[in-house]
Every structure is written in structure tokens, then in C-alpha cells.
């Protein structure tokens, strides 16, 4: 069966520090991968999505970047965090666009 | 460009009463539509989807949704609400005619069921 792992669960970082959040999917190949951010427990904002290794589409110009070094690995990064980067980050995957998304358990990021 | 709107930030319903959570969308063609639920500090869980076929879609936990093409809506419904239904609900859309694979979510509606 397929599973999605996202870590860490919580992270407190000072302003200006780097960030690396990792997401991995098991039990499938060539998934579509997504990073979403949820601010203050409300709306979900699509940040990045990827349909294959090295293929990253960015939805919102911002202080973040994403990479897909392996088929089932999706990494969200920042060189210097801003206060506005705080939020709940969710990784998700599906196999085909008409299929439902499977979400990770999320990372609560607090930038202080 | 595709978009989705949830006009209500919060919906309050008494237990046992029917509930409706509203969703409207905008895409260039026939959409793929989804509903998800989120419990506190958790990832989202899939409830139901509409791809094609019957306009009334049945999903998990007794929820259903009706696709209305003329009104570009996909409202979530349940005949009898439970306190345990209290959560944050998201509508999502994908434009199948877009070359992109992105799925866009609405702003969410907080459903509160009072005993």
C-alpha cells in the first residue's frame, strides 16, 4: 500500500535561517507531488507541484523553492526564512490528475 | 484560469438537522471537483469527487455533493448532521483541459455542529 511521510512535524526557526522540509512517498512510482501552505488554519495555497524528477512548477513567487531529486522525494527549501513563512505545510500526492490527493500529516513551521 | 470559492467562512447547524456547505468554481471546461475534510492539526482527508456521470455524488461519512453545471456549483450536503462532523471543509477543483496537474483549493468553511 502507498504511504506518504512528511517531517518534521513541528519546527521553530529564527528569521534568516535556512529551511528544508522533506516529503517521501512509498508504494508507487512517478507520482504527482504537491506542496501546499495553510495559514492560520484556513485556506490552502498551492506552492509547488511536480509531475516528474526535476520538473517543478511554482505557483506563487516567494521566498521558497522546491526540488525533486528522486522520483518519490519532494523537498521544500528556503535560504533565509521570513516571518511570513510561518504556517502549516502540507505535502500531497496522486497518481493521475482525476484522482484524489493523499496528504501527509503536515509540518507546523513557526518563524520567530 | 481555474478558481474555486467557498463563500461561507463558518456554518453552524444543530445536530440532526441537514447541512449544506457551499462551493462554486470557475474553469474553462468540465471540471474535476473534490471535497476534503480537515480535523485539527491534521492533513486533509478525501470525502468525495465528481469527474463525470451522475450529478449527485455520494462519499464518506454520509456526505454527498451535487454538481450543477449551470450554476457552476458543487455544494456539500448531509441529511442529518453529527457533532463529530465539526471540522474544516475544503472544496477543490482541477481543470482537465489544462496541461498543468495543479489542484486548487477553496479558502475553507468551518462547520460547527451543536448538540
Amino acid at each position: 500500500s502507498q504511504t506518504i511521510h512528511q517531517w518534521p512535524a513541528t519546527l521553530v526557526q529564527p528569521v534568516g535561517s535556512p529551511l528544508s522540509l522533506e516529503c517521501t512517498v512509498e508504494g508507487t512510482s512517478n507520482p504527482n507531488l504537491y506542496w501546499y501552505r495553510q495559514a492560520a488554519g484556513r485556506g490552502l495555497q498551492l506552492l509547488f507541484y511536480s509531475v516528474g524528477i526535476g520538473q517543478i512548477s511554482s505557483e506563487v513567487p516567494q521566498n521558497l523553492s522546491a526540488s525533486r531529486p528522486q522520483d518519490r522525494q519532494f523537498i521544500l527549501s528556503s535560504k533565509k526564512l521570513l516571518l511570513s513563512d510561518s504556517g502549516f505545510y502540507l505535502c500531497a500526492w496522486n497518481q493521475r490528475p482525476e484522482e484524489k490527493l493523499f496528504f501527509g500529516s503536515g509540518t507546523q513551521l513557526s518563524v520567530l | 484560469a481555474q478558481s474555486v470559492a467557498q463563500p461561507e467562512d463558518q456554518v453552524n447547524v444543530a445536530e440532526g438537522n441537514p447541512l449544506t456547505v457551499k462551493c462554486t468554481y470557475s474553469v474553462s471546461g468540465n471540471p474535476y471537483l473534490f471535497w476534503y475534510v480537515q480535523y485539527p492539526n491534521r492533513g486533509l482527508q478525501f470525502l468525495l469527487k465528481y469527474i463525470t456521470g451522475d450529478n449527485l455524488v455520494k462519499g464518506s461519512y454520509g456526505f454527498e455533493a451535487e454538481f450543477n453545471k449551470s450554476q457552476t456549483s458543487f455544494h456539500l450536503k448531509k441529511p442529518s448532521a453529527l457533532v463529530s462532523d465539526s471540522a474544516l471543509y475544503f472544496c477543490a477543483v482541477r481543470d482537465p483541459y489544462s496541461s498543468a496537474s495543479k489542484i486548487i483549493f477553496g479558502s475553507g468553511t468551518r462547520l460547527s455542529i451543536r448538540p
Side-chain angles (χ1 to χ4, degrees), chain B residues 11-77:
Chain B
V11 171
N12 299 308
V13 177
E15 187 176 27
N17 283 0
L19 68 88
T20 299
V21 183
K22 296 180 181 178
C23 171
T24 59
Y25 65 89
S26 175
V27 298
S28 56
N30 293 321
Y32 295 160
L33 294 161
F34 306 83
W35 275 102
Y36 291 81
V37 60
Q38 185 183 33
Y39 298 99
N41 300 315
R42 302 293 300 276
L44 277 67
Q45 298 177 29
F46 170 78
L47 281 178
L48 50 80
K49 69 177 180 181
Y50 172 83
I51 304 299
T52 187
D54 193 347
N55 289 345
L56 185 64
V57 179
K58 294 188 182 296
S60 306
Y61 312 120
F63 284 93
E64 58 188 27
E66 186 168 11
F67 171 62
N68 188 318
K69 188 173 182 178
S70 63
Q71 298 185 7
T72 62
S73 67
F74 189 57
H75 301 332
L76 182 70
K77 300 180 180 182

Side-chain angles (χ1 to χ4, degrees), chain A residues 20-99:
Chain A
S20 181
L21 301 181
E22 189 162 342
C23 172
T24 60
V25 180
E26 296 178 356
T28 188
S29 60
N30 197 31
N32 299 315
L33 295 170
Y34 306 80
W35 277 112
Y36 289 90
R37 178 170 62 198
Q38 185 177 27
R42 293 312 302 269
L44 237 58
Q45 179 187 34
L46 178 61
L47 301 176
F48 302 94
Y49 65 95
S50 171
V51 299
I53 296 175
Q55 301 179 59
I56 308 295
S57 296
S58 175
E59 283 300 296
V60 182
Q62 57 205 330
N63 187 41
L64 301 170
S65 63
S67 62
R68 185 170 177 173
Q70 300 180 40
D71 181 44
R72 293 169 290 173
Q73 183 185 31
F74 205 24
I75 298 172
L76 183 69
S77 304
S78 173
K79 292 182 179 179
K80 290 185 177 181
L81 284 169
L82 305 172
L83 288 174
S84 57
D85 292 324
S86 294
F88 191 51
Y89 288 82
L90 288 161
C91 181
W93 75 274
N94 63 7
Q95 198 65 54
R96 289 183 292 275
E98 67 272 22
E99 292 182 350

